[in-house]
């Protein structure tokens, strides 16, 4: 089975981050740090590990800081060099020329619309999508695991995550066919099913490998749930026409779109950090003893 490799990824980063105001008044939420590295940087590193070369950021007004983060920081790098400081800490923030592409989504019309904004850069190639709010931690990373699955299965591969069934009304949910270890055939997708109606407890936590046909579908798609153009609706139309599978990620997922998930991710990564882990453990134990 000859299939095109996954070399391009789309990162929808145009959101307003209203749940984190006032912190997001000028600072893009995607650049919030988990310990010492921005959330979006982790997603780009995950893409690089999976062999992806071109990063396409669907950005919005007032979020130029994201563009600066993936550029040269001339004064900083020059000063660090002059002082003999190790600049390798900035590796991964500088993408090769032309491999950091920024596209504007002029108005917030939903995830499907954000992806469609990248159609001309994707062209006729399969591509990955990362929702940077969904922070995936594993070795190998989530996208590397997905690319490995894609190379065996072809078609479309989406990340699948098991959650408690009572939480399914907040998510896109997989209607499953056969299961084989971490792989689940996707027979259908249901966006935010009403309580008690979910076809499984497998949700889509924001990592996708999709064929370019999804762009053709998004082109003519009507608005769905919440008056937005939903990616789930477009993906659902490809099921049965192309292979479509979910892959359960072997690793940890933190929902950094919520305050609790963001704090949890910081604590988890701080505890695992070689420099500060032991200190943070001591601090956390003290705080817990007090409360």
């Amino acid at each position: 089975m000859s299939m095109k490799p996954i070399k391009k990824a789309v990162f929808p980063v145009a959101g307003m981050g209203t749940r984190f105001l006032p912190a997001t008044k000028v600072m893009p939420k995607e650049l919030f740090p988990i310990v010492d590295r921005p959330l979006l940087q982790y997603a780009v590193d995950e893409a690089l590990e999976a062999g992806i070369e071109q990063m396409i950021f669907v950005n919005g007004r007032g979020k130029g800081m994201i563009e600066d983060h993936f550029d040269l920081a001339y004064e900083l790098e020059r000063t660090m060099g002059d002082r003999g400081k190790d600049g390798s800490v900035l590796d991964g923030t500088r993408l090769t020329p032309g491999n950091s592409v920024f596209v504007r989504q002029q108005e917030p019309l939903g995830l499907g619309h954000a992806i469609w904004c990248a159609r001309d850069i994707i062209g006729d190639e399969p591509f990955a999508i990362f929702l940077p709010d969904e922070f995936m931690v594993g070795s190998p990373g989530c996208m590397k695991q997905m690319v490995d699955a894609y190379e065996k299965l072809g078609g479309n591969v989406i990340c699948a995550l098991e959650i408690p069934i009572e939480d399914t009304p907040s998510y896109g949910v997989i209607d499953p066919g056969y299961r084989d270890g971490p792989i689940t055939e996707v027979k259908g997708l249901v966006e935010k099913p009403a309580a008690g109606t979910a076809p499984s407890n497998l949700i889509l936590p924001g990592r996708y490998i999709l064929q370019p046909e999804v762009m053709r579908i998004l082109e003519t798609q009507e608005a769905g749930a919440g008056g937005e153009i939903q990616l789930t609706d477009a993906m659902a139309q490809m099921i049965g026409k192309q292979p479509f599978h979910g892959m359960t990620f072997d690793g940890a997922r933190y929902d950094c779109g919520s305050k609790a998930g963001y704090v949890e991710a910081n604590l988890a990564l701080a505890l695992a950090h070689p420099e500060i882990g032991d200190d943070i453990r001591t601090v956390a134990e003290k705080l817990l003893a007090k409360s």
Side-chain angles (χ1 to χ4, degrees):
M1 181 157 63
S2 95
M3 54 185 99
K4 292 185 179 175
I6 307 298
K7 293 295 174 195
K8 297 180 177 184
V10 180
F11 300 80
V13 293
M16 306 282 282
T18 49
R19 280 195 277 182
F20 282 87
L21 282 169
T24 46
K25 185 177 171 183
V26 287
M27 172 84 171
K29 183 181 63 178
E30 296 80 9
L31 294 183
F32 281 16
I34 305 290
V35 185
D36 54 5
R37 179 178 294 251
L39 205 44
L40 182 56
Q41 182 70 55
Y42 284 102
V44 166
D45 291 344
E46 183 188 323
L48 290 167
E49 180 201 18
I52 290 165
E53 292 167 6
Q54 191 173 52
M55 313 295 162
I56 303 159
F57 302 95
V58 181
N59 209 359
R61 279 186 296 284
K63 299 187 79 175
M65 231 186 256
I66 294 177
E67 208 157 332
D68 291 342
H69 179 76
F70 291 102
D71 200 350
L72 288 171
Y74 181 77
E75 296 83 352
L76 173 67
E77 291 176 31
R78 173 78 195 261
T79 306
M80 284 176 78
D82 289 350
R83 293 179 183 172
K85 291 198 166 159
D86 179 15
S88 68
V89 71
L90 294 171
D91 291 353
T93 67
R94 292 184 300 258
L95 296 167
T96 27
N99 274 351
S100 162
V101 181
F102 285 81
V103 177
R104 280 281 177 105
Q105 181 187 24
Q106 279 95 352
E107 41 187 338
L109 294 174
L111 175 59
H113 180 262
I115 301 307
W116 184 69
C117 288
R119 66 198 176 279
D120 288 346
I121 304 150
I122 294 300
D124 197 29
E125 291 181 52
F127 63 102
I129 300 171
F130 290 75
L131 306 192
D133 273 2
E134 294 281 0
F135 180 35
M136 311 296 250
V137 181
S139 191
C142 183
M143 188 52 70
K144 174 79 174 94
Q145 293 179 29
M146 288 174 66
V147 165
D148 291 348
Y150 165 79
E151 285 170 354
K152 296 188 188 80
L153 300 162
N156 304 276
V157 178
I158 55 183
C159 185
L161 180 83
E162 290 192 53
I163 64 162
I165 197 88
E166 59 272 16
D167 295 342
T168 50
S170 307
Y171 295 97
V173 181
I174 291 173
D175 184 359
Y178 76 84
R179 291 193 178 189
D180 176 16
I183 302 300
T184 302
E185 179 192 13
V186 176
K187 289 200 331 201
L189 294 165
V190 187
E191 185 62 42
K192 300 186 173 160
T197 67
S200 75
N201 70 333
L202 286 175
I203 62 147
L204 313 184
R207 296 286 184 280
Y208 314 80
I209 291 173
L210 298 177
Q211 294 299 317
E213 283 78 4
V214 75
M215 294 296 191
R216 310 295 92 79
I217 296 169
L218 287 168
E219 224 129 278
T220 55
Q221 189 169 295
E222 301 296 313
E228 296 185 337
I229 295 173
Q230 297 287 354
L231 182 64
T232 308
D233 297 342
M235 292 192 303
Q237 290 192 47
M238 293 159 74
I239 296 166
K241 298 178 185 138
Q242 296 180 342
F244 216 116
H245 295 89
M247 182 212 75
T248 305
F249 168 52
D250 180 16
R253 169 254 188 180
Y254 303 96
D255 174 9
C256 291
S258 75
K259 289 175 197 174
Y262 176 68
V263 173
E264 182 192 359
N266 265 292
L267 185 55
L269 266 78
L271 288 169
H273 196 287
E275 279 169 55
I276 60 171
D278 293 344
D279 294 347
I280 297 297
R281 189 169 303 279
T282 309
V283 167
E285 282 165 356
K286 267 192 203 151
L287 289 170
L288 287 169
K290 273 186 201 162
S291 58

